[in-house]
Amino acid sequence: MKLLQAFGNPFYRMGSLQMLLFFAGWGIWWSFFQIWLTTKQGFSGAQVGTIFSFGSAAALMLMFVYGSIQDKLGMKRNLLIALIACQVFLAPFFTWVYVPMLEANFYVGAVVGAIYLAVSYLAACPVFEAVTERMSRRFHFEFGQARAWGSFGYAISALAAGFLFTISPYLVFWTGSAVSAVLLALLLFMKPEKDEGNLARYEDKAESLKDSKTPSMKDILGVFKIGDVWKIIGFVIMSWTFYTVFDQQMFPEFFTRFFDTPEQGQQAYGVLNSIEVFLEFLMMGLVPVFMKKIGVRKAILLSCAIMVVRIGGCGLATSPLGVGIIKLLHAPETALFILAIFRYFTLHFDTRISATLYMVGFQIAAQVGQIIFSAPLGALHDQIGYQQTFLVISGIVCVASLYAFFILRKDEECVEGQPLEMEAVAE
């Protein structure tokens, strides 16, 4: 019943649709990017790590810019429209620019590709999440339930990609361009905020007043003077970094090696990835309720514990079934970490600079971690294999979890943003 009521909110529909289409257009090709680089382009683990590191470096430079621009824009979509317009050119870029450049000069191609991927996807993803989260506070819907549709879109795309990729790898890129074109049309023409009736019924006046007070550049740059933000950055570097290093850079090829032919492995990976992200979709809807019961800090710590078990378990499992079952822990881990870290920022810090905080404290920190770890762990995999490397990663996350236990603020401490609802438990 609550879900049906949520769909009655046009702002929830808008937020959910833009999440669904963004992640569908990204997931259709990103879920097979590592496999494409290794099996179709023939790159080594170290080279793949270099490509991911370059992408992270480019995204790192853009994220703070994107975050500060969006905090200035508030709810305006100008930046989103520009980013999606770049995504429409995904297939032409990969077909006629990226591949020839990689073949002619690997490092030049890697740099050019990193710039495009950072501009269009890697640095764009948190902008879409930040805008949707701000929309949820202003127009009375649950961010987690809107973000869940992004996971659903990714799940459907990953399933389709497993079959499209075996027909022709380039089909996933052209499909991604097509989905982005649909999202561009949505952003241009679907504008529920133009309807006065919608505003009268759904707008939170207090949040609107807060948003109207545009943060100054001094406020935005002041993020770097907050000691607790730097503590979070250190934690994220040693934990969420491995979402990309493990899940995107290493796991796809590792899993497909369990099968007799590459085609069987690619289709099985597509199905596994789809199931995994569909479960993430369900968890995104459930975690906000669960988080109100246990609190934000405990939700972050629980997600870290799951990450340790998931990555370490994949290093110990010896069958595709065992690996697949353990990998499905990705669903609760991702939902808990993303929603809890976002809520941590809006709970303990000024919500006017939420986009900047999310970029700096979470997304940029993760990109720094990927720059640090991608190439070395890619080279380590070349030397000792995937499973031993997974155990090393799990150990690093375990240390990060212990660090987080001591540095994360309790939910009732230093509440400078939006307080928790009354049913949230005390620490």
Side-chain angles (χ1 to χ4, degrees):
M1 183 60 69
K2 288 186 177 181
L3 184 61
L4 293 176
Q5 291 175 348
F7 273 111
N9 184 337
F11 298 99
Y12 171 73
R13 294 198 300 270
M14 178 67 194
S16 298
L17 274 172
Q18 67 184 27
M19 285 284 96
L20 187 150
L21 290 172
F22 175 83
F23 281 96
W26 190 10
I28 194 72
W29 67 272
W30 182 249
S31 58
F32 276 77
F33 186 49
Q34 189 258 359
I35 293 176
W36 180 73
L37 289 171
T38 54
T39 64
K40 304 301 179 181
Q41 303 303 317
F43 295 123
S44 67
Q47 287 176 311
V48 171
T50 299
I51 289 172
F52 276 85
S53 292
F54 283 8
S56 296
L60 173 66
M61 291 185 283
L62 282 172
M63 280 184 177
F64 177 74
V65 176
Y66 282 1
S68 58
I69 290 173
Q70 194 58 56
D71 277 332
K72 288 284 189 182
L73 290 173
M75 295 296 300
K76 294 178 182 178
R77 303 177 192 168
N78 306 56
L79 179 58
L80 302 185
I81 290 170
L83 299 178
I84 293 301
C86 293
Q87 291 180 18
V88 172
F89 294 97
L90 170 73
F93 174 78
F94 267 79
T95 306
W96 297 309
V97 179
Y98 192 38
V99 172
M101 278 193 167
L102 286 172
E103 291 175 348
N105 188 306
F106 172 77
Y107 287 101
V108 172
V111 169
V112 173
I115 294 170
Y116 175 79
L117 294 180
V119 168
S120 304
Y121 293 95
L122 300 179
C125 175
V127 179
F128 272 85
E129 291 178 324
V131 170
T132 305
E133 191 277 336
R134 180 168 292 183
M135 188 186 300
S136 73
R137 285 187 281 110
R138 186 166 175 177
F139 296 110
H140 290 291
F141 64 86
E142 183 62 62
F143 169 63
Q145 292 177 356
R147 176 60 178 78
W149 289 104
S151 299
F152 181 77
Y154 197 103
I156 297 300
S157 289
L159 180 61
F163 297 94
L164 292 174
F165 192 84
T166 57
I167 299 171
S168 171
Y170 288 98
L171 282 176
V172 299
F173 300 117
W174 286 101
T175 305
S177 285
V179 174
S180 296
V182 175
L183 177 54
L184 180 61
L186 174 78
L187 292 173
L188 289 172
F189 300 111
M190 188 175 177
K191 300 180 179 180
E193 70 277 7
K194 297 295 184 181
D195 188 320
E196 292 296 331
N198 289 337
L199 293 178
R201 183 174 181 183
Y202 295 104
E203 187 175 30
D204 185 318
K205 301 300 183 183
E207 284 296 327
S208 298
L209 179 62
K210 192 181 297 183
D211 276 349
S212 68
K213 299 176 182 177
T214 304
S216 66
M217 187 54 65
K218 181 180 179 181
D219 293 328
I220 292 171
L221 292 175
V223 166
F224 293 101
K225 297 180 181 180
I226 303 173
D228 282 310
V229 171
W230 285 103
K231 293 177 183 178
I232 295 294
I233 288 172
F235 162 60
V236 171
I237 287 174
M238 301 296 287
S239 58
W240 191 250
T241 287
F242 302 108
Y243 175 82
T244 295
V245 174
F246 173 77
D247 289 81
Q248 301 297 336
Q249 182 180 327
M250 295 187 174
F251 184 82
E253 189 194 16
F254 164 71
F255 183 72
T256 58
R257 288 185 175 185
F258 283 99
F259 297 85
D260 294 333
T261 66
E263 291 74 20
Q264 288 178 346
Q266 290 157 12
Q267 290 184 0
Y269 172 69
V271 172
L272 173 64
N273 204 20
S274 181
I275 294 172
E276 171 188 298
V277 185
F278 180 73
L279 290 175
E280 181 185 311
F281 159 69
L282 297 177
M283 293 302 300
M284 285 285 182
L286 295 174
V287 160
V289 178
F290 180 68
M291 193 161 58
K292 289 175 183 177
K293 301 296 183 183
I294 70 168
V296 176
R297 180 175 180 272
K298 289 180 180 177
I300 295 174
L301 294 174
L302 178 59
S303 71
C304 290
I306 296 173
M307 188 184 299
V308 171
V309 172
R310 179 175 69 94
I311 297 176
C314 287
L316 297 173
T318 57
S319 69
L321 179 61
V323 169
I325 291 173
I326 294 169
K327 183 64 164 60
L328 293 180
L329 289 172
H330 171 279
E333 170 200 316
T334 301
L336 280 166
F337 202 105
I338 290 177
L339 298 183
I341 202 75
F342 225 136
R343 191 66 186 91
Y344 187 89
F345 287 128
T346 60
L347 173 65
H348 295 294
F349 303 98
D350 186 351
T351 57
R352 292 181 306 143
I353 53 173
S354 59
T356 302
L357 283 165
Y358 183 60
M359 293 288 187
V360 173
F362 182 50
Q363 295 290 347
I364 290 179
Q367 299 300 323
V368 170
Q370 288 162 36
I371 293 169
I372 294 171
F373 289 112
S374 286
L377 288 175
L380 182 65
H381 142 253
D382 291 340
Q383 294 295 318
I384 66 175
Y386 280 118
Q387 290 183 295
Q388 294 300 317
T389 304
F390 295 166
L391 295 177
V392 171
I393 294 174
S394 182
I396 296 172
V397 178
C398 187
V399 172
S401 303
L402 293 173
Y403 169 72
F405 180 82
F406 293 102
I407 63 99
L408 291 177
R409 293 175 179 175
K410 294 183 177 180
D411 292 354
E412 70 274 13
E413 293 178 346
C414 302
V415 179
E416 298 176 9
Q418 184 184 45
L420 293 177
E421 295 182 21
M422 294 303 294
E423 61 266 35
V425 297
E427 291 285 329

